[in-house]
């Protein structure tokens, strides 16, 4: 998925620190102001004595609990002869915790017979800090409640989040073409057919009149279908950029929340916002999150929410007038599981397939992403495109970035070819783990295992040609063989079979050389089993089962407990699968036995050098006798050149 620039102003995150700070302030405040601990406490006896000797100016009784005693000048001289702080008359000199009645009685008692007795002045003084501390628990509960509410409505991030009240607002992000970085078709490499199709949409948005004049209707929805990272988001963005209209982007899963009815309300809100900005484009990424076929999932009952969201989407797409200028683009990599109602005419009636890039496409994507890079002279895009079959646009973007990082780590001035190759290796196999601990005997097993793959694939006509083999552990793999797969459109039974043999070559080599097999082949076995199952069950490539396919392109089978075949057939399938795998394994054994010397040489070379290339295999086994027609993908472009464009 593309990185989505956040066009909401980056909100300053207020942590919970302020809560702590306020609490601490309360605490300190209550200590400092709430108590008069700096004033000495006295006793009733002393007070009586002071009263008798007429040392007291006044007595204040605070809130009927505490007596605050102020001395007169005579008293000050007696008890505080060096009163540096000059507290005389300003602050009480003594305090005394005492009940109202006792104080009055004692004061009267002590002053009996005196000419001008001191009176007790009752004072009500609000204890501010005490009060606040009393309210603190309630305050905390309120703060806590607010925090919980914020959490529930999406952490307060993004549009519409923040308060519980805006939970039904759509979370779509709006890109305004004037403000934000503009993506245009120039940024999208390859994808010629797809571009041509979306070009039409740009035209609809730019000159709607041209189409509606004749009574035609502008399409409302376009579905972009293709594997992840092939540039669907990019394409949608570039449509908005080319047409110069606002672009709302949202992911299918953003509609779904834990509350029932929220999804539908978000859909409504999204379309309302979009209509205000019309003409514009709404882009819904991963639409399968809500667009899955309805009522098929018997497993979960909590499906209603998604269904009602989908229903709302269908209604909205029907509802907004065709000429209102809102076009919905949606992306998915699983068009097969989408609800049929979504695809009917008038909704997403156009589908654009965005495929993994071919050789030319990859070269162009390299070009796009190399624009900003400082390249060395030896970087050859053509070569890199050939090295990256099966890579998506996002992978290639990643390769370019990774290469730049690798070169920077080596303090290079330019990014060189080797940096790109390292980046490709890293992306294919994960990070090299040069210092993982491997014993000599383990290393030998790994070397023979990889050499087994290399040898079998070298000897088989249809196995993918090898590029390099390494026994440097990477990611989770202990060793790896790199192949350059043919970019086939269809695969024959023989080709699949050859691939299986090559995949089993690793285990076969272990068997031949060491007489025992190891757990190291897990990955291979998984791959082979899946392939064999696919051959038998899906592609109808097995004679016993015949031309039957149990493949379900609608994805409904995932939810059903029943198999679409009988027990008897299941047994047959199992038997055929293991027969297929077994015969491939025997074939691998046969090939390796035949080339045992070569295998040993190769393994030794691997142990010595850790990495070997196809040249090393040529040196040992000689050139492969088969020359396959090379796919160049030039044809299409040449045709274009030959035919001058008819304007
Ligand atoms: P998708 O939506 O299909 O998963 P994205 O559009 O998010 O894929 O692609 C991810 C990134 O891959 C893009 O931001 C872009 O950098 C790169 N990319 C993918 N396809 C292309 C392409 N055809 N041309 C240039 N860059 C591409």
């Amino acid at each position: 998925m593309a990185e989505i620039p956040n066009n909401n102003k980056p909100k300053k995150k207020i942590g919970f620190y302020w809560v702590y700070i306020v609490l601490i302030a309360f605490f300190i405040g209550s200590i400092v102001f709430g108590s008069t601990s700096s004033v000495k406490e006295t006793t009733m006896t002393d007070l009586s004595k002071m009263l008798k000797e007429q040392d007291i100016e006044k007595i204040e009784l605070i809130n009927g609990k505490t007596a605050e005693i102020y001395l007169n000048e005579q008293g000050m001289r007696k008890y505080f002869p060096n009163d540096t702080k000059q507290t005389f008359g300003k602050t009480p000199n003594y305090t005394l915790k005492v009940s109202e009645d006792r104080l009055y009685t004692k004061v009267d008692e002590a002053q009996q017979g005196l000419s001008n007795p001191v009176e007790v002045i009752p004072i009500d003084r609000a204890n501010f800090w005490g009060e606040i501390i009393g309210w603190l628990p309630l305050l905390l509960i309120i703060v806590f409640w607010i925090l919980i509410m914020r959490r529930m409505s999406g952490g307060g991030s993004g549009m519409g989040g923040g308060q519980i009240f805006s939970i039904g607002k759509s979370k779509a992000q709006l890109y305004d073409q004037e403000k934000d970085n503009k993506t245009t078709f120039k940024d999208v490499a390859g994808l010629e057919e797809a571009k041509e199709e979306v070009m039409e949409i740009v035209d609809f948005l730019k000159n709607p009149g041209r189409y509606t004049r004749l009574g035609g209707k502008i399409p409302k929805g376009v579905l972009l279908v293709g594997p992840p990272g092939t540039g669907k988001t990019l394409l949608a963005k570039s449509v908005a950029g080319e047409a110069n209209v606002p672009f709302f982007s949202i992911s299918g899963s953003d509609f779904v929340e834990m509350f029932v009815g929220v999804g539908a309300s978000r859909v409504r809100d999204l379309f309302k916002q979009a209509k205000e900005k019309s003409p514009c484009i709404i882009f819904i990424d991963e639409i399968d999150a809500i667009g899955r076929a309805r009522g098929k999932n018997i497993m979960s009952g909590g499906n209603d929410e998604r269904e009602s969201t989908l229903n709302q989407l269908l209604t909205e797409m029907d509802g907004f007038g065709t000429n209102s200028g809102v076009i919905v683009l949606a992306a998915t990599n699983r068009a097969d599981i989408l609800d049929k109602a979504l695809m009917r005419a008038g909704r997403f009636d156009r589908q654009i397939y965005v495929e993994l890039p071919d050789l030319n496409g990859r070269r162009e994507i390299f070009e796009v992403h190399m624009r900003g890079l400082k390249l060395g002279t030896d970087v050859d895009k053509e070569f890199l495109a050939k090295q990256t079959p099966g890579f998506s646009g996002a992978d290639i973007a990643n390769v370019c970035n990774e290469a730049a990082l690798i070169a920077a780590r080596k303090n290079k001035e330019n990014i060189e070819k080797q940096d790109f190759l390292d980046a490709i290796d890293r992306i294919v196999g994960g990070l090299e783990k040069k210092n993982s601990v491997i014993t000599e005997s383990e290393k030998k097993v790994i070397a023979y295992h990889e050499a087994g793959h290399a040898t079998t694939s070298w000897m088989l006509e249809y196995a993918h040609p090898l590029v390099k083999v390494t026994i440097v552990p990477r990611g989770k793999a202990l060793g790896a063989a790199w192949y350059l797969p043919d970019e086939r459109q269809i695969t024959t039974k023989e080709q699949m079979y050859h691939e299986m043999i090559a995949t089993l070559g690793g285990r076969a080599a272990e068997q031949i050389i060491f007489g025992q097999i190891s757990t190291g082949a897990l990955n291979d076995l998984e791959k082979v089993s899946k392939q064999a199952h696919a051959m038998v069950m899906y592609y109808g490539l097995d004679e016993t089962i015949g031309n039957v396919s149990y493949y379900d392109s609608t994805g409904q089978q995932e939810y059903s407990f029943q198999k679409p075949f009988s027990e008897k057939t299941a047994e047959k399938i199992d038997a055929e699968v293991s027969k297929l795998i077994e015969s491939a394994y025997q074939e691998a054994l046969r090939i390796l036995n035949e080339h045992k010397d070569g295998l040993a040489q190769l393994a030794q070379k691997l142990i010595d050098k850790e990495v070997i290339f196809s040249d090393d295999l040529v040196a040992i086994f000689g050139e492969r006798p088969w020359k396959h027609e090379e796919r160049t993908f030039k044809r299409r472009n040449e045709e274009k050149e030959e035919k001058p464009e008819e304007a």
Side-chain angles (χ1 to χ4, degrees):
M1 223 203 73
E3 207 179 291
I4 292 177
N6 191 348
N7 71 339
N8 293 340
K9 286 258 153 49
K11 270 193 218 154
K12 231 194 185 165
K13 260 231 153 175
I14 311 170
F16 298 122
Y17 297 115
W18 62 270
V19 178
Y20 296 132
I21 289 172
V22 168
L23 284 183
I24 290 171
F26 273 140
F27 190 65
I28 293 175
S30 67
I31 287 175
V32 172
F33 301 99
S35 74
T36 42
S37 58
S38 60
V39 182
K40 259 202 216 156
E41 230 178 289
T42 183
T43 58
M44 204 67 217
T45 336
D46 287 346
L47 179 61
S48 303
K49 188 172 158 242
M50 280 186 258
L51 281 168
K52 269 184 203 137
E53 290 171 12
Q54 292 197 306
D55 293 332
I56 288 179
E57 174 86 21
K58 60 176 178 181
I59 298 174
E60 287 176 349
L61 179 62
I62 311 296
N63 299 338
K65 280 186 210 151
T66 317
E68 289 185 353
I69 298 145
Y70 294 78
L71 296 177
N72 57 19
E73 275 189 76
Q74 177 192 314
M76 283 305 280
R77 254 180 270 123
K78 214 188 261 177
Y79 299 100
F80 297 95
N82 34 12
D83 170 33
T84 48
K85 281 191 218 152
Q86 307 248 312
T87 54
F88 174 62
K90 287 181 211 146
T91 52
N93 302 100
Y94 292 108
T95 60
L96 176 62
K97 287 229 159 55
V98 67
S99 75
E100 203 171 342
D101 294 345
R102 185 155 177 257
L103 182 69
Y104 279 109
T105 351
K106 284 281 174 188
V107 168
D108 285 348
E109 236 171 58
Q111 299 190 105
Q112 247 164 28
L114 289 183
S115 57
N116 48 350
V118 177
E119 294 220 342
V120 175
I121 313 161
I123 288 182
D124 273 336
R125 191 188 286 166
N127 184 350
F128 178 69
W129 292 105
E131 209 97 314
I132 285 202
I133 286 174
W135 284 97
L136 209 58
L138 190 69
L139 211 74
L140 282 180
I141 290 172
I142 293 174
V143 167
F144 199 62
W145 183 74
I146 291 174
L147 290 181
I148 287 185
M149 284 310 172
R150 281 170 68 138
R151 276 285 150 83
M152 276 162 95
S153 55
S157 62
M159 258 171 81
Q163 263 90 43
I164 181 106
F165 307 108
S166 57
I167 193 161
K169 293 262 160 62
S170 107
K171 291 190 188 171
Q173 285 190 323
L174 174 66
Y175 299 84
D176 240 325
Q177 292 308 321
E178 285 98 49
K179 277 184 257 147
D180 298 309
N181 259 350
K182 211 166 157 163
T183 311
T184 60
F185 284 152
K186 265 206 256 92
D187 304 299
V188 187
L191 303 178
E192 295 304 332
E193 295 87 354
K195 261 197 248 177
E196 242 162 65
E197 293 211 36
V198 291
M199 211 89 91
E200 218 181 35
I201 300 168
V202 174
D203 209 34
F204 286 143
L205 285 166
K206 273 188 170 164
N207 320 304
R210 195 160 117 200
Y211 298 88
T212 48
R213 193 169 49 98
L214 302 176
K217 283 185 189 141
I218 291 172
K220 293 177 194 167
V222 178
L223 197 62
L224 299 166
V225 185
T230 42
K232 298 184 289 293
T233 316
L234 194 69
L235 200 61
K237 246 191 242 171
S238 70
V239 172
E242 290 283 335
N244 223 346
V245 297
F247 179 73
F248 288 92
S249 169
I250 191 167
S251 164
S253 56
D254 284 344
F255 289 111
V256 191
E257 193 85 39
M258 59 187 275
F259 301 117
V260 175
V262 168
S265 124
R266 284 188 181 162
V267 172
R268 235 173 290 133
D269 187 60
L270 172 65
F271 278 87
K272 198 174 123 233
Q273 281 184 35
K275 269 180 251 174
E276 279 162 13
K277 291 255 179 189
S278 130
C280 69
I281 288 180
I282 297 178
F283 178 64
I284 307 177
D285 208 355
E286 320 287 351
I287 194 170
D288 38 314
I290 48 168
R292 237 170 222 271
R294 284 167 294 181
K296 296 287 162 46
N297 192 346
I298 37 174
M299 287 293 287
S300 85
N303 223 10
D304 293 357
E305 169 59 3
R306 213 202 60 228
E307 281 184 12
S308 64
T309 310
L310 175 57
N311 283 336
Q312 187 63 41
L313 183 66
L314 296 179
T315 324
E316 286 291 345
M317 290 197 70
D318 279 341
F320 70 84
T322 330
N323 302 332
S324 71
V326 180
I327 292 189
V328 185
L329 295 180
T332 177
N333 40 20
R334 302 217 43 197
D336 48 346
I337 60 164
L338 290 184
D339 200 291
K340 292 286 164 286
L342 260 181
M343 321 248 238
R344 80 136 165 78
R347 287 166 186 158
F348 290 104
D349 46 2
R350 288 177 179 230
Q351 295 189 16
I352 298 178
Y353 288 92
V354 183
E355 307 279 348
L356 283 176
D358 57 23
L359 193 63
N360 266 340
R362 289 199 299 274
R363 199 198 56 226
E364 285 171 24
I365 297 173
F366 266 115
E367 255 160 41
V368 166
H369 289 280
M370 281 176 178
R371 267 185 216 152
L373 304 179
K374 270 192 173 177
L375 298 178
T377 43
D378 62 347
V379 177
D380 177 5
K381 288 163 204 146
E382 201 78 53
F383 171 79
L384 288 174
K386 278 199 177 135
Q387 293 297 313
T388 47
F391 275 44
S392 68
D395 290 333
I396 293 176
N398 196 6
V399 166
C400 292
N401 189 46
E402 198 69 45
L405 296 183
I406 290 173
R409 209 171 298 144
K410 293 182 190 157
N411 277 330
K412 288 190 188 173
E413 285 300 307
N414 297 308
I415 312 167
E416 285 158 11
K417 180 176 163 187
Q418 191 54 45
D419 302 319
F420 279 99
L421 291 177
D422 288 349
I424 293 171
D425 286 358
R426 180 174 173 172
I427 283 162
V428 172
L431 207 56
E432 272 191 8
K433 288 199 266 186
K434 287 223 164 89
N435 42 7
S436 52
V437 187
I438 289 177
T439 63
E440 279 305 308
S441 58
E442 275 173 342
K443 195 170 170 184
K444 204 170 159 196
V445 174
I446 298 167
Y448 270 98
H449 184 105
E450 297 304 332
H453 286 307
T455 311
T456 39
S457 65
W458 197 255
M459 294 303 153
L460 288 163
E461 179 170 1
Y462 295 112
H464 297 308
L466 190 103
V467 179
K468 77 173 195 183
V469 191
T470 113
I471 54 167
V472 180
R474 251 173 207 285
K476 279 191 164 173
L478 293 170
W482 267 253
Y483 300 94
L484 197 56
D486 273 345
E487 290 176 50
R488 298 176 189 138
Q489 304 296 333
I490 45 173
T491 309
T492 63
K493 184 177 174 184
E494 202 176 9
Q495 286 167 340
M496 282 184 117
Y497 188 56
H498 280 190
E499 276 163 33
M500 284 170 65
I501 299 173
T503 314
L504 287 166
R507 166 158 280 202
E510 288 179 44
Q511 167 81 48
I512 290 172
I513 304 296
F514 306 104
Q516 59 183 13
I517 48 183
S518 72
T519 56
L522 171 67
N523 211 337
D524 301 339
L525 297 184
E526 186 190 344
K527 200 167 128 198
V528 166
S529 309
K530 280 199 179 135
Q531 200 161 9
H533 263 113
M535 284 172 78
V536 176
M537 285 171 58
Y538 298 155
Y539 297 120
L541 293 177
D542 185 77
E543 273 150 28
T544 318
I545 302 295
N547 297 330
V548 181
S549 173
Y550 298 105
Y551 185 66
D552 176 30
S553 63
T554 58
Q556 292 164 24
Q557 229 176 60
E558 284 172 32
Y559 302 123
S560 82
F561 293 113
Q562 283 174 334
K563 294 197 174 73
F565 39 75
S566 67
E567 277 307 311
K568 230 185 194 163
T569 316
E571 275 169 26
K572 262 202 248 168
I573 289 174
D574 287 344
E576 286 307 303
V577 166
S578 63
K579 205 168 94 189
L580 201 60
I581 296 176
E582 191 48 36
S583 86
Y585 186 60
Q586 291 307 326
E587 185 60 18
L589 287 174
R590 189 192 64 74
I591 292 172
L592 292 178
N593 269 320
E594 204 173 293
H595 300 279
K596 213 166 164 179
D597 292 342
L599 174 71
Q601 281 178 43
L602 199 61
Q604 194 51 50
K605 228 179 205 174
L606 254 178
I607 293 171
D608 297 341
K609 296 208 297 184
E610 295 206 328
V611 185
I612 54 173
F613 294 90
S614 52
D615 300 344
D616 298 295
L617 277 108
V618 175
I620 294 170
F621 299 112
E623 284 282 356
R624 291 176 95 198
W626 313 281
K627 265 267 176 281
H628 285 257
E629 31 176 345
E630 216 175 294
R631 247 175 242 267
T632 52
F633 298 98
K634 287 254 166 71
R635 205 164 10 102
R636 202 173 45 203
N637 293 355
E638 276 161 13
E639 266 174 14
K640 263 191 199 151
E641 274 161 31
E642 276 167 20
K643 254 194 271 166
E645 267 189 19
E646 298 150 11

